[in-house]
Amino acid sequence: MAHTHHIKAIRRTLRREMPGTVGLLADAHDFTAMTRYRSFAFDDHTAYLRQVEGLLRARAAQGAHTTVALFDPDEFTEFCTANGLDPDTADSRTRFTAELAAGGACVAYAGQPIDSLVPHLINKAVRKATWEYATLLLAEAGECAECGQDIGRSAFDRASHLLLNLLEAAGPGTHHLVCSIPARDDQLISVLHAHREGGDPAHLDEGDAAEFVTVLAAGIALHSTGGLVLRTSAPGVPDRLYGWRLQHDRLDPLTEGEVFSAYCTDAETGEPVAPEPGVDYRAGFPIDQPDSRH
């Protein structure tokens, strides 16, 4: 009997230490696409989300660590076709979910409500797709006809220096940056948060910084006319808003009026938006521009 209890205790420990992945159909359209399979047991997206939330809570209560991955029906179909699998089986869905854990958009479950987990997961997927597309654009840029240098690598180096120079000139505070780059038929947008105290270097997430630099570099490589905006917060003073225009490989400051217009215009309708109270709209400040390499 003691031996049996010991085995059960070991199994409970293993379950806690074995991470798991749950594939989540985050939006109703993707959920509907999966209902065509007879082996898919759900028919109501809201009820499905609540069932997933219950599963996540139950696993957390057992001490298990769970990663939630975005389940894309189109990618699932391609996966099944490539591997000769029947898509109308639970086993195929499980194998696909295991693949997502290795390279898909994932969020660690930490007890957050499903209503906040879903938008976080979708945002993670959008950012991943943006980074991958920007990386592809850099890889396709080729070599400079005049100097023979790799355009994508040169653009990435320049974008890195521009970001470092901008954060250096921004000074202390909490900084929120948004870079927007038109690329072919898409609009690449990347967001970066940084914090700087006194004369210390800015603290930022390396992965987020790499995404941001890659998007900015894509704009440089494509000679796009993009934009970059910065919002700086500090205790006891109003937030300050700045802006720059990407012209070829330079970040040129916007005027105060242009910054105000950029923040106070609805991007989709073009209609004016009321300015935020207690916020200073300022012209972009000068940024040291690295020497152009091609």
Side-chain angles (χ1 to χ4, degrees), residues 88-146:
D88 198 359
T89 67
D91 180 64
S92 295
R93 291 193 292 273
T94 300
R95 289 182 60 177
F96 177 64
T97 299
E99 291 283 327
L100 290 177
C106 300
V107 171
Y109 179 69
Q112 62 269 52
I114 197 77
D115 293 340
S116 62
L117 189 149
V118 166
H120 186 193
L121 185 59
I122 292 174
N123 180 62
K124 193 80 174 283
V126 170
R127 291 185 61 171
K128 183 175 183 294
T130 298
W131 190 6
E132 290 175 348
Y133 183 44
T135 301
L136 177 63
L137 293 175
L138 291 180
E140 292 179 342
E143 295 183 351
C144 175
E146 296 178 3

Side-chain angles (χ1 to χ4, degrees), residues 2 11 27 91 103 108 116 122 130 149 152 156 203 254:
R11 286 175 177 171
D27 66 55
D91 180 64
S116 62
I122 292 174
T130 298
Q149 288 192 346
F156 189 90
H203 297 280
L254 297 178

Side-chain angles (χ1 to χ4, degrees), residues 46-124:
T46 301
Y48 160 81
L49 290 176
R50 299 308 166 200
Q51 289 290 331
V52 171
E53 185 173 37
L55 171 64
L56 293 172
R57 287 178 175 173
R59 285 182 54 81
Q62 296 170 359
H65 299 283
T66 309
T67 297
V68 183
L70 189 68
F71 194 106
D72 185 293
D74 293 333
E75 292 181 2
F76 171 63
T77 301
E78 293 172 3
F79 172 81
C80 291
T81 300
N83 291 276
L85 301 175
D86 178 3
D88 198 359
T89 67
D91 180 64
S92 295
R93 291 193 292 273
T94 300
R95 289 182 60 177
F96 177 64
T97 299
E99 291 283 327
L100 290 177
C106 300
V107 171
Y109 179 69
Q112 62 269 52
I114 197 77
D115 293 340
S116 62
L117 189 149
V118 166
H120 186 193
L121 185 59
I122 292 174
N123 180 62
K124 193 80 174 283

Side-chain angles (χ1 to χ4, degrees), residues 3-276:
H3 177 71
T4 301
H5 285 310
H6 180 64
I7 293 296
K8 289 182 177 179
I10 291 175
R11 286 175 177 171
R12 284 196 298 269
T13 301
L14 286 174
R15 279 198 295 270
R16 284 197 300 270
E17 295 184 2
M18 284 283 236
T21 304
V22 172
L24 180 66
L25 293 156
D27 66 55
H29 180 268
D30 286 348
F31 177 85
T32 301
M34 291 299 294
T35 59
R36 69 179 182 268
Y37 299 121
R38 294 182 62 185
S39 63
F40 187 73
F42 301 92
D43 57 12
D44 180 86
H45 188 231
T46 301
Y48 160 81
L49 290 176
R50 299 308 166 200
Q51 289 290 331
V52 171
E53 185 173 37
L55 171 64
L56 293 172
R57 287 178 175 173
R59 285 182 54 81
Q62 296 170 359
H65 299 283
T66 309
T67 297
V68 183
L70 189 68
F71 194 106
D72 185 293
D74 293 333
E75 292 181 2
F76 171 63
T77 301
E78 293 172 3
F79 172 81
C80 291
T81 300
N83 291 276
L85 301 175
D86 178 3
D88 198 359
T89 67
D91 180 64
S92 295
R93 291 193 292 273
T94 300
R95 289 182 60 177
F96 177 64
T97 299
E99 291 283 327
L100 290 177
C106 300
V107 171
Y109 179 69
Q112 62 269 52
I114 197 77
D115 293 340
S116 62
L117 189 149
V118 166
H120 186 193
L121 185 59
I122 292 174
N123 180 62
K124 193 80 174 283
V126 170
R127 291 185 61 171
K128 183 175 183 294
T130 298
W131 190 6
E132 290 175 348
Y133 183 44
T135 301
L136 177 63
L137 293 175
L138 291 180
E140 292 179 342
E143 295 183 351
C144 175
E146 296 178 3
C147 66
Q149 288 192 346
D150 184 292
I151 293 174
R153 184 175 302 168
S154 179
F156 189 90
D157 289 344
R158 184 173 181 81
S160 299
H161 284 99
L162 282 171
L163 175 61
L164 291 175
N165 293 347
L166 187 153
L167 291 174
E168 176 67 24
T174 298
H175 305 298
H176 176 81
L177 300 93
V178 180
C179 181
S180 178
I181 302 293
R184 296 178 182 169
D185 297 326
D186 204 354
Q187 188 78 14
L188 301 180
I189 297 176
S190 186
V191 176
L192 178 65
H193 300 279
H195 181 74
R196 190 172 170 212
E197 296 184 10
D200 295 336
H203 297 280
L204 41 77
D205 182 271
E206 292 185 4
D208 293 347
E211 292 177 23
F212 191 89
V213 168
T214 302
V215 169
L216 179 58
I220 293 172
L222 295 174
H223 300 290
S224 295
T225 303
L228 190 153
V229 293
L230 166 69
R231 182 175 188 138
T232 296
S233 303
V237 296
D239 283 6
R240 290 152 285 159
L241 304 178
Y242 307 91
W244 294 263
R245 180 182 294 106
L246 178 64
Q247 297 269 45
H248 298 298
D249 58 2
R250 294 178 54 84
L251 283 175
D252 294 330
L254 297 178
T255 66
E256 182 179 327
E258 288 172 327
V259 172
F260 182 88
S261 177
Y263 274 99
C264 299
T265 303
D266 188 292
E268 295 184 0
T269 66
E271 294 295 319
V273 177
E276 288 187 60

